[in-house]
Amino acid sequence: MAEAFKLYKLIILYMLDKVDFPLTNSQISEFILNEGYTTYFKLQQALSELLDSGFIREESTHTRTFYHLTEEGEETIHYFKNDISPAIQEDINSFLSNKQYELKNEVAIKADYYRNPNMEYCVRCQILERDAPLIDLTLTVPTESEAMAIAANWTQKNEKIYANLMVELL
């Protein structure tokens, strides 16, 4: 059991090491659960232990959690990479290669909200490219339900909104 659990952690570290952007909980889960490597609860436990040990760090919004590889995690995966079978490494590489655009696009679009000192809600909408913002827009609205709606709509309509802004401003 301990050896299998070590493998789950190494798979997560390997995935994060192979991309130049963070991965969401759902993206990591999609690969590991679809391949049948473990259960959802064991995966969440592995993620929690990697966080606690400082091998990964998380960035949370109201709707998603992003995972980043830390320096310690990078050193660990480089040292233990050979403990992952070539077949599993190939499965991971294939998954990341086949879905790279989709995975990267999904994490490049961010929307989150918070309550400001005036008791209103600020919604921060971003499109990132190589960790640099293409757009970083903050809107203030009076209610949490409006903030939630804007955040949800941003993830669906960001390309259209960005294109409209560019047309209007250029």
Side-chain angles (χ1 to χ4, degrees):
M1 177 64 180
E3 196 63 29
F5 206 70
K6 175 185 168 188
L7 177 62
Y8 311 149
K9 292 181 198 178
L10 289 175
I11 289 171
I12 295 165
L13 293 176
Y14 185 86
M15 290 179 75
L16 290 169
D17 187 52
K18 287 294 182 181
V19 294
D20 62 351
F21 51 90
L23 293 173
T24 65
N25 190 314
S26 64
Q27 291 170 330
I28 294 169
S29 298
E30 177 185 351
F31 172 75
I32 291 177
L33 299 178
N34 285 353
E35 292 294 325
Y37 289 122
T38 191
T39 65
Y40 176 80
F41 296 106
K42 288 179 183 172
L43 171 60
Q44 297 311 306
Q45 183 181 354
L47 285 166
S48 178
E49 289 183 17
L50 287 169
L51 282 166
D52 291 344
S53 62
F55 294 141
I56 61 174
R57 69 176 175 84
E58 72 179 358
E59 173 190 351
S60 294
T61 68
H62 283 88
T63 57
R64 297 187 294 179
T65 301
F66 300 89
Y67 293 103
H68 301 262
L69 190 63
T70 64
E71 278 187 39
E72 294 85 358
E74 193 173 333
E75 290 171 11
T76 300
I77 193 58
H78 289 271
Y79 186 75
F80 289 104
K81 183 173 22 177
N82 292 335
D83 289 0
I84 304 172
S85 74
I88 293 175
Q89 287 186 32
E90 181 52 40
D91 286 346
I92 295 168
N93 294 339
S94 179
F95 172 80
L96 295 173
S97 176
N98 291 338
K99 299 192 79 157
Q100 183 171 10
Y101 177 78
E102 180 182 325
L103 296 171
K104 194 171 198 170
N105 197 36
E106 186 179 327
V107 298
I109 310 306
K110 293 184 178 183
D112 200 11
Y113 64 90
Y114 57 91
R115 196 169 203 166
N116 69 21
N118 295 334
M119 305 311 278
E120 297 171 311
Y121 290 86
C122 294
V123 187
R124 185 174 186 195
C125 304
Q126 297 177 297
I127 300 174
L128 304 172
E129 187 172 283
R130 292 185 216 116
D131 289 329
L134 286 178
I135 187 170
D136 193 343
L137 174 67
T138 302
L139 301 168
T140 304
V141 293
T143 68
E144 185 175 18
S145 62
E146 290 172 327
M148 290 171 63
I150 290 171
N153 285 328
W154 179 254
T155 60
Q156 301 298 316
K157 300 178 180 180
N158 62 79
E159 289 179 21
K160 182 179 177 183
I161 294 166
Y162 179 74
N164 286 340
L165 282 172
M166 295 305 283
V167 166
E168 291 296 322
L169 296 174
L170 289 180

